[in-house]
Amino acid sequence: MRPPAPASPKLKLYSFWRSSCSQRVRIALNLKGLEYEYKPVNLLANEQSDPEFERLNPIKYVPALVDGDTVIADSFAILLYLEDMYPQHPLLPQDPQKRALNIQIASIVGSSIQPLQNYPNFIEEKLDSNKTIKWTQHHINRGFTALEKLLKGCNTTYATGNEIQLADVFLEPQIYGGVKRFGIDMSIYPVLARLHEAYMEHPAFLAALPEKQPDAPSS
């Protein structure tokens, strides 16, 4: 008699390899030790407009997470869901001030940097490539300047303590993308640069890197 086939992972993550929003969720899943099935959505081929994916997320953004009969879209919502359902390696501290700081940092990245850096995708016909990159760099630098001030004096291993928390999960994909895709000079952000080095030594962050995803280009 053949042994039963191994059960497929309960969780399914609809992701695009270089999406920083998807990267946040991959980091959190890794930290919490959760297995998941990777479901690639090629944004460059407009696969997010496929009716099957649109049923999961009507606004047609990645990531989306399927947990049994539950579907959650938007990285922030997914991370809060994971925090409630899978409390191992908590991402939000119990201390109210530290909890608020984590949410503030996450909000700066998720609301004041990432959406604006992607805005040129919609107006690229009106901007040449040089103006497009300057637009992106301006908004990333503006956000990084605020984050550097917010974290001034940080002497812990990670942004808000010696354990990885929500702020770190948002920070690293933004820093990584800023360096790799947009040529941000991190020497003017010493706190963020130090944190980036710490993240790049952690297995959960390394496994979530864009180039290590199954849908990443081979070269």
Side-chain angles (χ1 to χ4, degrees):
M1 178 181 291
R2 288 183 178 180
S8 58
K10 178 186 176 186
L11 299 171
K12 296 180 181 179
L13 177 65
Y14 290 78
S15 173
F16 180 55
W17 67 279
R18 77 177 190 193
S19 159
S20 62
C21 298
S22 298
Q23 189 177 350
R24 297 167 195 160
V25 177
R26 296 195 299 261
I27 293 169
L29 290 167
N30 295 340
L31 287 168
K32 290 178 176 290
L34 297 171
E35 293 187 5
Y36 61 94
E37 180 182 354
Y38 189 100
K39 306 285 284 186
V41 180
N42 188 345
L43 303 185
L44 302 180
N46 200 36
E47 289 181 359
Q48 69 273 25
S49 295
D50 183 278
E52 181 181 349
F53 183 74
E54 190 174 356
R55 281 194 292 272
L56 296 174
N57 187 8
I59 203 167
K60 299 186 284 188
Y61 291 159
V62 291
L65 183 77
V66 177
D67 185 2
D69 294 329
T70 302
V71 180
I72 313 99
D74 183 89
S75 64
F76 214 150
I78 292 170
L79 293 171
L80 293 178
Y81 172 83
L82 292 175
E83 191 73 351
D84 288 337
M85 293 297 294
Y86 303 95
Q88 63 268 34
H89 194 115
L91 298 176
L92 284 170
Q94 292 299 312
D95 178 79
Q97 290 182 326
K98 287 187 177 181
R99 189 181 186 93
L101 179 59
N102 272 270
I103 294 171
Q104 183 180 1
I105 291 170
S107 294
I108 289 173
V109 173
S111 299
S112 299
I113 303 178
Q114 192 269 337
L116 291 170
Q117 82 175 25
N118 287 343
Y119 188 62
N121 294 338
F122 299 96
I123 58 172
E124 57 188 1
E125 294 181 0
K126 299 179 181 180
L127 295 175
D128 61 36
S129 58
N130 186 53
K131 289 181 179 178
T132 298
I133 192 65
K134 285 185 180 298
W135 167 283
T136 301
Q137 290 172 339
H138 167 77
H139 288 289
I140 295 175
N141 281 315
R142 181 171 175 266
F144 280 6
T145 298
L147 290 166
E148 189 75 14
K149 291 178 180 178
L150 196 60
L151 293 169
K152 184 178 180 180
C154 171
N155 57 7
T156 51
T157 305
Y158 303 111
T160 59
N162 291 320
E163 299 292 333
I164 293 168
Q165 295 178 331
L166 185 73
D168 306 297
V169 171
F170 271 78
L171 281 173
E172 175 53 16
Q174 187 61 63
I175 297 171
Y176 188 85
V179 172
K180 293 289 187 178
R181 293 183 61 195
F182 304 115
I184 298 299
D185 177 10
M186 294 303 298
S187 68
I188 57 178
Y189 307 115
V191 175
L192 295 180
R194 178 181 65 78
L195 293 173
H196 176 53
E197 291 179 0
Y199 301 141
M200 291 299 290
E201 295 179 354
H202 196 289
F205 288 83
L206 293 175
L209 287 173
E211 61 268 26
K212 293 189 177 180
Q213 305 317 302
D215 55 332
S218 56
S219 60

